[in-house]
Amino acid sequence: MFKRWINLIFMCTASPAYAGFCAQWEAGQRIGHLSPKEVREASGVAASQKFPGRVYWINDSGDKGFFFYSDADGKNLKRVKIADHKPRDTEALAIAECAGGPCLAIADIGDNNSKRKNVKVVFVSELETYPREVKILRTLTLTYPNGAHDAEALAFLPTGELMIVTKEIRLAQLAAGPALVFKSSRDEWFGSNDRALTLKKLGDLPLPSWLESEIFFAQVPTDMAVNPVRQVLGILTYGKVVEIPLKLINDIPNSGAWKKDRDYSIVQIEALAQQESLTYLTSPDRLLWSTEYRRPEAPIFSMTCTQQAP
């Protein structure tokens, strides 16, 4: 009788897993590769919703102000110059909603030594066919409220909010710190009129605790993307993908108390050396990721969700 009561209490108090998590992933598959002559260090990728089947790419530091677009498998790759754009360290790419419709947000947010006074995001229109060179729609200048940070992960949520998650590596201790989460509301960044905007700190994400079996270098975020079908935010690290329900984003200050497989999920992927680019494709629902490491070529991997959690 006592055991039955314990089981009943547990059933009544335990919280179910978030229904948007994936219950069954197919094995990851290599679906293509990137041209090592063009995309030398793939540090960001974003899937177009306006033009299904198209993905955009950017290079890491050393890039001269270009972006690329191709099929999901890397075929039909084309390069586009962004006029008057001289980035320092482009590390993320996302789709945003600009005044004229969907646009690309190219994030010059890398700062390995955490010394930059501000970071920048430039926006260009999404076009069916691009000329060799396009103009910048606008430039967004961002500062952190607590000093400089290195970051490689930026996304725009369905609410229009801009979110950046930082990369906190403590090399002297061979350890990673919790990722810091900063955001700006749609009204704030959209109405800034290109003035410098100070981000607001939302909270910390205890990725080192959630990924404690990983080496410290694989506990930091290198990219992130939104899955609009399952309503999750996927965060790529050098080892795994962590998915967080969008409905819990504002609860990030309490994420230290979150439970695995209830409040967040860890997705086992085919880990690639220096993987820094992640996006979601939605027909079917799948992850797509690649790497900065290009010898002899940077592979593109995909993994499909075949069953959503009940």
Side-chain angles (χ1 to χ4, degrees), residues 208-222:
S209 297
W210 294 353
L211 301 169
E212 60 181 356
S213 63
E214 299 286 320
I215 188 172
F216 78 96
F217 212 66
Q219 297 171 344
V220 296
T222 60

Side-chain angles (χ1 to χ4, degrees), residues 34 38-45 57-60 90-91 222-223 236 274-278 289-294 298-300:
L34 293 167
E38 298 284 0
V39 188
R40 300 182 305 278
E41 295 184 13
S43 59
V45 61
W57 306 90
I58 52 167
N59 276 321
D60 198 348
T90 46
E91 288 287 2
T222 60
D223 201 7
L236 179 71
Q274 289 184 271
Q275 57 187 21
E276 294 193 8
S277 48
L278 171 79
W289 70 101
S290 189
T291 169
E292 285 193 349
Y293 193 74
R294 61 184 177 95
I300 302 172

